[in-house]
């Protein structure tokens, strides 16, 4: 597996959660962001983009400018701290992503600029992928838009479909119902 740094996007406004701190929300007794950091446990460095939190003390912490500006400014802030040849870009609300999934993304990228997870409906999950750091920096330097798909799509990443099961790796927690379902599925007696 190639050397990589992990960039965890943990900002945002969590409108559908009433503005709650979504990455700190508990699922199965752990904060969502802790699950995601564990999925990227093979990273040389873990960079968390977002407000300060009392979790993940051994990470590099940065903030997008201005705070809450969206995923592209957050990616720019996080990528500035990446030193490894590969950057794994992950949303901080993926409780069922595991190290084996991150390894599958890195493996699938091969000689391409990157790889991105696709969900059960075949949709690219732009906040679950890996990218050659140099190619991603070049793409961001030339990009003036606000869409992650707009900056990442032209890199022509490998599309990676993984088995879903009851806990699909792309499952994200956007609503109170999503969190409740994830919490039920993450109980120790279920895992």
């Amino acid at each position: 597996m190639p050397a990589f740094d992990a960039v965890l996007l943990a900002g945002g406004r969590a409108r559908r959660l009433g503005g709650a701190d979504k990455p700190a929300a508990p699922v199965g007794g752990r904060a969502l962001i802790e699950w995601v950091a564990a999925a990227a446990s093979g990273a040389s460095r873990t960079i968390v983009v977002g407000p300060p939190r009392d979790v993940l003390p051994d990470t590099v912490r940065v903030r997008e400018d201005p705070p809450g500006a969206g995923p592209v400014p957050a990616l720019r802030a996080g990528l500035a701290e990446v030193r490894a040849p590969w950057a794994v870009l992950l949303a901080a609300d993926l409780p069922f992503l595991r190290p084996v999934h991150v390894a599958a993304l890195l493996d699938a990228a091969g000689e391409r600029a990157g790889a991105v997870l696709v969900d059960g409906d075949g949709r690219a999950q732009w906040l679950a992928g890996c990218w050659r750091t140099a190619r991603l920096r070049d793409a961001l330097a030339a990009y003036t838009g606000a869409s992650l798909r707009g900056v990442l799509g032209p890199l022509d990443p490998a599309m990676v479909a993984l088995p879903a099961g009851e806990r699909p790796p792309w499952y994200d927690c956007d609503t109170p119902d999503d969190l409740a379902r994830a919490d039920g599925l993450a109980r120790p007696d279920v895992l």
Side-chain angles (χ1 to χ4, degrees), residues 110-122:
E111 297 301 313
R112 299 177 92 146
V116 67
L117 189 62
V118 295
D119 67 17
D121 295 324

Side-chain angles (χ1 to χ4, degrees), residues 2-3 85-87 104-118 124 126 129-137 139 152-161:
W86 285 89
L105 286 165
L106 288 161
D107 185 55
E111 297 301 313
R112 299 177 92 146
V116 67
L117 189 62
V118 295
W126 298 110
C130 66
W131 307 94
R132 290 182 187 278
T133 302
R135 295 283 306 275
L136 187 51
R137 282 193 173 116
L152 300 176
L155 293 174
D156 190 31
M159 296 291 170
V160 179

Side-chain angles (χ1 to χ4, degrees), residues 2-180:
F4 71 94
D5 288 344
V7 177
L8 311 184
L9 298 190
R13 294 190 173 96
R15 288 180 195 99
R16 290 179 278 182
L17 285 173
D21 184 4
K22 179 168 57 169
V27 168
R30 297 170 81 181
L32 277 171
I33 195 169
E34 290 178 290
W35 287 108
V36 178
S41 61
S44 300
R45 302 176 88 200
T46 299
I47 299 127
V48 177
V49 184
R53 293 183 179 86
D54 290 335
V55 294
L56 304 178
D58 297 327
T59 60
V60 177
R61 296 166 186 266
V62 296
R63 191 68 203 245
E64 70 276 21
D65 185 28
V72 173
L75 174 56
R76 286 184 202 284
L79 193 60
E81 298 295 330
V82 171
R83 297 178 184 161
W86 285 89
V88 171
L89 175 64
L90 301 172
D93 67 344
L94 301 167
F96 305 127
L97 193 71
R98 298 292 180 260
V100 66
H101 303 133
V102 171
L105 286 165
L106 288 161
D107 185 55
E111 297 301 313
R112 299 177 92 146
V116 67
L117 189 62
V118 295
D119 67 17
D121 295 324
R123 290 183 305 250
Q125 299 299 304
W126 298 110
L127 287 172
C130 66
W131 307 94
R132 290 182 187 278
T133 302
R135 295 283 306 275
L136 187 51
R137 282 193 173 116
D138 290 346
L140 272 172
Y143 188 67
T144 58
S147 158
L148 271 182
R149 180 178 52 195
V151 71
L152 300 176
L155 293 174
D156 190 31
M159 296 291 170
V160 179
L162 297 171
E166 192 176 13
R167 292 177 290 280
W170 60 83
Y171 185 94
D172 61 354
C173 296
D174 291 328
T175 67
D177 287 345
D178 294 341
L179 277 170

